[in-house]
Amino acid sequence: MHNITLINGDGIGPEISESVVKIIKESGLDINWDFQSAGADVIESEGTPLPQRVLDSIKTNKVALKAPVTTPIGKGFRSVNVQLRKDLDLYANLRPCKNLPGVKTKFENVDLVVVRENTQDLYAGVEEQIDENTAHSIKIITREASERICRFAFDYAIKNGRQEVCVVTKANIMKLSDGLFLDSYRNVAKDYPDIKQREILVDNLCMQLVQDPTRFDVLVLPNLYGDIVSDLTAGLIGGLGVAQGANIGFDCAVFEPVHGSAPDIKGQNKANPTALLLSAIEMLKYINEYDYAKKIENALFKTLSEGFKTADLGGNHSTSEFTDAIIKNLL
Ligand code: ATP
């Protein structure tokens, strides 16, 4: 029996969480979910969108599945997502991007993985207002953080039968900061002679990704480029409703979809649970439940191939109809 924290989020979070929990239960896998609410709905009662009990639960269970959580803008709260990553030192953001059967997109056979450094770069939050008309934002890159993310990418490649890890920088312009990231990659790569190495500049990568994304396998990037490129790659496979993600550290891992809480379709039984379900499938692999991961993935793929689709993918099935169809295909 696995103990896993479930943050069911707000907006469409509760609907898609219910769908995923139901599918996993019907697959036969026994999970003891530790339900933890967070986000806009708990601010009034607990004074913060991320109460300590949520962090304690993840630290105890080591693994969490997280639906989207809204951080209210302009009320002085730090982003729940950023705080979770910081407090749990979830240094690797992992976004596998693979075509789904039945979801028609511009390209076929896209199967790549974006590994984004999660803690540094221009996202370290070191900014200063020099004067009324000038602001500085400082890009922080350290060898320690760069080597650990590159090592993560190579280890992921080995564990998942991948052939190549390509490092993405703008080291021709930012010779010191991106240069250090590139140098860290080269150092780490020496320990992985069986994985192909490749270096590319981020602008060239973007052009090639929209020309032919099948040229790429595992990509490892500093924080800012990783953020932008991973949304680009989500678009290649059908958009937000199907884009999965995970934030992983040495001790804990939080699996979550890329999309936000979609307040515009909240409570309408319209949301696509696929991104959260794919995140949960990756989570099952992480806890070594490969057979259940495959069983659920097969059921999802079969359901999509049969033409069951929610509105975001151009279909007219509700969240619950889509969920029931997946459960039927588990048998
Ligand atoms: P945030 O700032 O939290 O990312 P956002 O509004 O910018 O919020 P999303 O909440 O991800 O971004 O929503 C963007 C659009 O995509 C919305 O129109 C939303 O309805 C749609 N969308 C996002 N996720 C899903 C989903 N799982 N199923 C269907 N539509 C979705």
Side-chain angles (χ1 to χ4, degrees):
M1 166 91 91
H2 300 279
N3 295 319
I4 295 178
T5 302
L6 179 77
I7 302 172
N8 66 352
D10 45 44
I12 58 169
E15 301 162 58
I16 56 175
S17 302
E18 192 188 321
S19 158
V20 169
V21 166
K22 207 167 154 193
I23 292 165
I24 294 178
K25 181 164 183 265
E26 295 297 329
S27 77
L29 179 62
D30 221 358
I31 288 184
N32 182 23
W33 296 106
D34 180 5
F35 289 90
Q36 296 286 335
S37 46
D41 297 349
V42 305
I43 292 180
E44 205 172 310
S45 53
E46 303 188 53
T48 166
L50 184 61
Q52 186 60 37
R53 60 173 167 76
V54 181
L55 292 163
D56 291 343
S57 166
I58 301 174
K59 282 179 187 160
T60 305
N61 294 325
K62 310 284 184 211
V63 180
L65 182 65
K66 178 180 159 295
V69 166
T70 316
T71 307
I73 297 168
K75 296 212 173 137
F77 296 111
R78 278 175 71 195
S79 151
V80 170
N81 296 330
V82 172
Q83 203 180 332
L84 265 181
R85 285 171 206 173
K86 279 232 151 86
D87 287 4
L88 300 172
D89 199 18
L90 305 173
Y91 67 89
N93 181 257
L94 181 70
R95 292 203 190 165
C97 274
K98 192 173 171 180
N99 278 127
L100 292 167
V103 180
K104 206 171 154 23
T105 53
K106 199 155 181 279
F107 298 100
E108 283 170 13
N109 304 318
V110 178
D111 183 9
L112 56 83
V113 180
V114 177
V115 177
R116 162 187 168 196
E117 204 287 322
N118 234 351
T119 66
Q120 306 201 316
D121 199 353
L122 282 161
Y123 288 23
V126 187
E127 291 194 302
E128 61 178 331
Q129 193 78 40
I130 303 300
D131 61 39
E132 206 188 330
N133 300 309
T134 314
H136 287 178
S137 196
I138 298 180
K139 173 164 167 138
I140 295 175
I141 302 282
T142 66
R143 184 175 297 282
E144 189 191 0
S146 305
E147 286 199 356
R148 77 176 172 176
I149 194 68
C150 291
R151 201 165 288 287
F152 179 95
F154 278 102
D155 286 340
Y156 181 90
I158 291 201
K159 197 173 166 206
N160 292 278
R162 297 275 172 171
Q163 313 293 314
E164 178 186 275
V165 174
C166 173
V167 65
V168 184
T169 66
K170 192 74 188 167
N172 56 337
I173 304 293
M174 278 160 279
K175 294 182 196 301
L176 299 184
S177 52
D178 280 12
L180 180 56
F181 193 89
L182 179 58
D183 192 55
S184 304
Y185 165 87
R186 289 175 180 164
N187 265 344
V188 168
K190 288 180 198 147
D191 295 338
Y192 299 88
D194 296 335
I195 302 289
K196 272 205 298 192
Q197 297 171 36
R198 182 166 164 193
E199 299 173 3
I200 193 165
L201 297 175
V202 64
D203 40 358
N204 183 11
L205 170 78
C206 290
M207 186 193 64
Q208 293 206 40
L209 276 174
V210 297
Q211 281 181 331
D212 181 6
T214 64
R215 290 178 197 154
F216 297 96
D217 191 345
V218 177
L219 301 168
V220 63
L221 313 87
N223 209 339
L224 175 63
Y225 310 143
D227 191 10
I228 297 166
V229 167
S230 56
D231 267 28
L232 190 162
T233 56
L236 295 173
I237 56 153
L240 285 176
V242 299
Q244 58 163 310
N247 290 297
I248 301 177
F250 286 118
D251 290 329
C252 302
V254 177
F255 294 80
E256 59 183 325
V258 170
H259 63 74
S261 55
D264 52 332
I265 55 165
K266 171 186 174 179
Q268 296 172 30
N269 200 17
K270 272 187 185 167
N272 187 352
T274 302
L276 184 65
L277 186 59
L278 287 168
S279 307
I281 290 168
E282 194 71 23
M283 178 189 80
L284 296 183
K285 291 183 198 159
Y286 180 84
I287 60 171
N288 294 321
E289 290 288 359
Y290 283 91
D291 290 346
Y292 285 101
K294 199 75 214 147
K295 183 175 179 185
I296 296 170
E297 190 177 79
N298 287 343
L300 169 67
F301 288 178
K302 185 155 185 253
T303 305
L304 288 166
S305 307
E306 287 168 352
F308 282 88
K309 282 188 196 84
T310 44
D312 57 303
L313 295 179
N316 56 8
H317 293 96
S318 65
T319 312
S320 41
E321 286 167 340
F322 185 65
T323 305
D324 291 345
I326 295 173
I327 290 170
K328 215 162 141 225
N329 282 330
L330 284 167
L331 304 171

